[in-house]
Amino acid sequence: MTEFTYSLTDEDYICFEKFKLKRNKTVFIVYIISLFYVAMSVYDAIVYKAYDLIFITIGFVILICAATAYVYFAAPKKRVRKMLAADSTYTGENSIKIGEKEIEIKNLPRENQRGMVAVYPYSVMSVIYETEESYYFLIGMTVKILPKRVIPPALSDYVKKTLSKNRNYIYLK
């Protein structure tokens, strides 16, 4: 069993929001429908010589690009700022123990705050995602984030080996 302390930053939460967006497949469907619309508009413009459809298509493509840029770049930051403004304990200091059968997370309270200790057996976790920058523990409707940058170098191999041998572990690039 290994134990260390860490604090999350808004950048850690933004990375998680972007991770959720990458896992969301409904955006792909929107792109397929948009591509079909663009192809049909170009076809109609050429066959029926309705060149005004080209301008409408260009406007549509610009609108889709602007919406995509907002969803991928501005919206995650906005959601994280709103979440952190609502509860300051998200960026508080935590202590984590990683064992063979469970993880234990304690939030280390600031003055005049309550502390919390939670033990999560690996069997109750829906999935453990590993990305290039973090580990994400999905437990019911909540997620616990463990950035790799906070893991002491001497313990990083132990943490990876312990987490990767669980049946619900998934590595994603």
Side-chain angles (χ1 to χ4, degrees):
M1 183 170 280
T2 183
E3 182 175 7
F4 54 92
T5 60
Y6 68 98
S7 295
L8 295 174
T9 64
D10 12 349
E11 194 58 39
D12 296 323
Y13 289 106
I14 290 170
C15 284
F16 177 68
E17 289 292 326
K18 289 180 179 180
F19 171 75
K20 287 191 318 187
L21 286 172
K22 281 198 299 189
R23 301 286 303 153
N24 188 350
K25 301 299 182 203
T26 56
V27 175
F28 181 71
I29 295 170
V30 171
Y31 288 139
I32 295 296
I33 293 170
S34 300
L35 183 64
F36 178 74
Y37 173 76
V38 168
M40 291 305 297
S41 296
V42 169
Y43 174 79
D44 286 346
I46 293 170
V47 170
Y48 299 115
K49 301 199 184 321
Y51 297 113
D52 55 335
L53 287 176
I54 295 291
F55 296 114
I56 294 171
T57 303
I58 290 171
F60 180 73
V61 168
I62 290 171
L63 179 69
I64 291 294
C65 290
T68 301
Y70 174 77
V71 165
Y72 280 99
F73 299 111
K77 292 177 185 174
K78 186 176 178 181
R79 277 193 300 273
V80 167
R81 275 196 307 260
K82 186 176 179 181
M83 178 189 72
L84 294 178
D87 190 356
S88 65
T89 61
Y90 286 123
T91 55
E93 193 171 11
N94 296 304
S95 171
I96 186 167
K97 283 184 189 177
I98 299 176
E100 297 294 322
K101 297 187 186 280
E102 77 272 338
I103 62 169
E104 178 182 313
I105 300 175
K106 297 179 199 173
N107 85 330
L108 304 174
R110 297 178 184 143
E111 196 171 318
N112 297 326
Q113 286 185 340
R114 293 183 183 202
M116 182 182 80
V117 177
V119 178
Y120 302 106
Y122 295 121
S123 60
V124 301
M125 294 182 193
S126 306
V127 68
I128 301 168
Y129 286 116
E130 179 186 358
T131 64
E132 294 293 325
E133 56 275 325
S134 296
Y135 291 100
Y136 301 117
F137 305 98
L138 274 67
I139 306 157
M141 296 298 289
T142 63
V143 65
K144 300 298 179 186
I145 301 171
L146 178 61
K148 287 183 178 178
R149 64 176 167 68
V150 301
I151 301 172
L155 301 175
S156 63
D157 287 338
Y158 172 79
V159 170
K160 178 159 181 67
K161 187 171 68 170
T162 302
L163 296 178
S164 64
K165 71 179 182 181
N166 288 293
R167 62 171 174 70
N168 50 1
Y169 167 85
I170 298 174
Y171 178 78
L172 297 171
K173 288 186 179 185

